[in-house]
């Protein structure tokens, strides 16, 4: 199956990242942001990211957008970060900085490709995916911080907030053709099962749920914790998948990365869910379909990454970094009834409400 036959595939996901050397990144930092810095390229999926280290010890992240990126969408992301800074400046989230002309994105041409250059904060620490055994305290802190982030974004809107994104759970039905690309039949049937559950139980309810701009990608690679105190969250990164969607989708995305590797996968995730509920109580219907949304996100992870890895084999290790845990969780959930999962989520929220 080719990209052209896929239904409404995100243009950015189907376009290769730009090309630039460390030296070119240093020149961009100097010319447009007034920074004399050493640049080192970091791993990335859609954009080019460079770690900038200045002589005075300050550090930044220079992001060069995918050539297919819509400037209105990046402006949406910039404005959201500025809104968060205004509404809750204590939140440990990435900051965006202006160029020498006071603009938050800079159109440039690199190697005959048009890209947008943006400058962000860089916070030292350990990515959450490198923490061997995340603690309950960390999960509860993460749940609380995501809830506060949602509250900070409440009321924010932008003309590009409704842009279509393949990594948006409400569009999970579009994954049908991508699932067909999964080579193993048993895995393919497993993904279809949970996608059917989403279509049957969650999709009809989404339009009636509270919705707003959400982060939409709180995976383990997008959280930086303190190197010495891994229970302390230092930064939440990457607002590139931000979109206007049901608020509960934000919980589902994050919870899908908090699942246990042994026993009942929901046990650890419910600690995260309960902490979120303490700050921003989940409505009854949100609790009722949360399991369907979590499994839909897992299906998205395995389907989209399987497709993208086939398109960009040289970057497959990075693209597939979250797939093994997603497959493991889907297989474990096959032994858990939907009703028992719903009951477990309700119990976690009711316990929190009773405190």
């Amino acid at each position: 199956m080719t990209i052209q036959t896929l239904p409404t595939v995100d243009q950015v996901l189907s376009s290769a990242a730009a090309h630039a050397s460390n030296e070119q990144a240093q020149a961009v930092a100097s010319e447009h942001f007034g920074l004399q810095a050493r640049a080192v390229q970091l791993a990335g999926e859609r954009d080019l990211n460079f770690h900038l280290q200045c002589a005075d010890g300050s550090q930044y992240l220079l992001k060069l957008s995918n050539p297919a990126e819509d400037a209105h969408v990046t402006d949406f992301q910039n404005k959201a970060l500025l809104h968060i800074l205004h509404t809750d400046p204590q939140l440990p989230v990435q900051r965006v900085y202006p160029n020498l002309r006071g603009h938050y994105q800079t159109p440039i041409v690199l190697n005959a490709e048009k890209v947008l250059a943006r400058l962000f904060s860089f916070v030292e620490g350990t990515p959450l995916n490198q923490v061997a055994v995340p603690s309950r305290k960390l999960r509860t802190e993460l749940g609380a911080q995501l809830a506060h982030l949602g509250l900070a974004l409440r009321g924010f809107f932008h003309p590009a907030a409704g842009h279509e994104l393949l990594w948006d759970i409400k569009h999970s039905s579009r994954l049908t053709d991508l699932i067909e690309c999964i080579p193993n039949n048993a895995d393919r049937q497993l993904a279809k099962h949970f996608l059917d559950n989403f279509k049957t139980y969650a999709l009809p309810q989404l339009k009636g749920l509270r919705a707003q701009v959400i982060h939409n990608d709180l995976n383990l690679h997008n959280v930086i914790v303190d190197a010495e105190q891994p229970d302390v969250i230092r930064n939440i990164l990457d607002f590139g998948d931000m979109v206007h969607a049901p608020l509960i989708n934000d919980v589902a995305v994050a919870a899908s990365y908090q699942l246990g590797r042994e026993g009942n996968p929901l046990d650890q995730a419910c600690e995260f869910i309960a902490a979120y509920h303490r700050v921003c109580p989940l409505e009854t219907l949100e609790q009722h379909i949360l399991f369907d949304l979590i499994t839909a996100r897992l299906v998205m992870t395995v389907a989209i990454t399987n497709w993208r890895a086939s398109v960009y084999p040289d970057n497959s290790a990075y693209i597939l970094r979250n797939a093994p845990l997603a497959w493991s969780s889907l297989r474990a959930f096959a032994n858990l009834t939907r009703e028992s999962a719903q009951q477990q989520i309700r119990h976690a929220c009711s316990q929190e409400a009773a405190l």
Side-chain angles (χ1 to χ4, degrees), residues 146-332:
L146 182 64
H148 284 296
L149 178 55
L151 292 175
L153 285 167
R154 182 176 293 178
F156 169 74
F157 195 73
H158 185 280
H163 72 109
E164 290 196 2
L165 182 75
L166 193 60
W167 281 108
D168 183 346
I169 294 179
K170 66 176 179 282
H171 297 316
S172 294
S173 299
R174 298 176 179 175
L175 298 176
T176 302
D177 287 344
L178 289 181
I179 289 174
E180 293 299 331
C181 298
I182 297 172
N184 181 278
N185 182 61
D187 287 342
R188 192 162 59 247
Q189 294 306 315
L190 182 64
K192 285 182 177 179
H193 165 73
F194 286 112
L195 184 58
D196 287 343
N197 275 1
F198 166 81
K199 293 176 181 177
T200 301
Y201 301 112
L203 184 59
Q205 307 293 341
L206 293 184
K207 290 186 177 180
L209 300 177
R210 53 181 171 168
Q212 64 169 76
V213 171
I214 61 173
H215 179 276
N216 197 44
D217 193 21
L218 199 66
N219 71 63
L220 304 185
H221 297 260
N222 288 342
V223 178
I224 303 298
V225 299
D226 190 275
E228 302 298 326
Q229 303 177 74
D231 293 338
V232 177
I233 297 171
R234 298 208 64 204
N235 213 222
I236 294 174
L237 311 173
D238 198 347
F239 287 68
D241 281 355
M242 184 177 287
V243 71
H244 188 277
L247 181 63
I248 191 62
N249 288 12
D250 216 16
V251 185
V253 170
S256 74
Y257 296 101
Q258 299 299 320
L259 302 170
R261 297 174 184 268
E262 298 179 358
N264 185 336
L266 271 182
D267 288 345
Q268 292 186 6
C270 278
E271 297 170 355
F272 166 86
I273 293 167
Y276 184 101
H277 181 76
R278 183 190 312 131
V279 176
C280 180
L282 299 179
E283 298 174 356
T284 300
L285 183 54
E286 292 172 330
Q287 296 176 36
H288 185 71
I289 65 170
L290 180 53
F291 178 66
D292 303 306
L293 297 174
I294 291 172
T295 53
R297 173 66 182 203
L298 294 173
V299 172
M300 295 186 90
T301 298
V302 298
I304 295 174
T305 58
N306 177 76
W307 161 60
R308 281 188 51 76
S310 70
V311 177
Y312 303 109
D314 291 344
N315 199 28
S316 61
Y318 184 85
I319 293 171
L320 292 169
R321 66 196 185 280
N322 292 318
L325 182 57
W327 276 123
S328 175
S329 298
L330 284 172
R331 291 170 187 138

